[in-house]
């Protein structure tokens, strides 16, 4: 199964996005690969980056921060279930 992002809250709740590119940018701006029209997100909020078969999540200087499992992160490797 390919890695995927499952939205659990907000306007896109229960949406699923397959992570199938080297970089996938997320944010409010419609030019993002995953645009999310939520005022809690910055225009360019965070970036999923493939690294040696896994994905890392990098905050892009967002106003409200990026969280993984309730913990604020600037950049972190992602594991199954995060």
């Amino acid at each position: 199964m390919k890695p995927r992002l499952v939205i659990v809250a907000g306007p896109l709740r229960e949406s699923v996005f397959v992570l199938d590119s080297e970089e996938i940018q997320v944010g409010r701006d419609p030019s993002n690969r995953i645009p999310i029209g939520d005022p809690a997100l910055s225009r360019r909020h965070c970036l999923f980056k493939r690294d040696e078969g896994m994905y890392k999540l990098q905050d892009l200087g967002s106003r409200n921060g990026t969280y993984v499992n309730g913990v604020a992160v600037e950049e972190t490797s992602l594991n199954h279930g995060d």
Side-chain angles (χ1 to χ4, degrees):
M1 178 181 289
K2 290 186 177 189
R4 60 200 169 139
L5 170 65
V6 179
I7 309 295
V8 297
L12 295 181
R13 184 181 171 162
E14 299 182 11
S15 296
V16 177
F17 298 92
V18 176
L19 303 180
D20 58 0
S21 299
E22 293 297 313
E23 293 189 349
I24 300 170
Q25 193 163 291
V26 179
R28 278 194 342 264
D29 193 282
S31 68
N32 288 296
R33 174 86 188 279
I34 302 177
I36 301 176
D38 185 329
L41 270 70
S42 295
R43 290 170 56 174
R44 289 178 175 69
H45 196 91
C46 63
L47 179 70
F48 289 94
K49 297 188 303 185
R50 190 177 350 212
D51 183 34
E52 297 184 19
M54 298 184 65
Y55 275 91
K56 289 186 176 182
L57 180 62
Q58 176 185 2
D59 182 79
L60 297 175
S62 64
R63 182 185 63 212
N64 291 327
T66 298
Y67 292 78
V68 175
N69 301 323
V71 177
V73 298
E74 288 189 25
E75 182 171 313
T76 189
S77 295
L78 296 172
N79 297 301
H80 180 72
D82 284 343

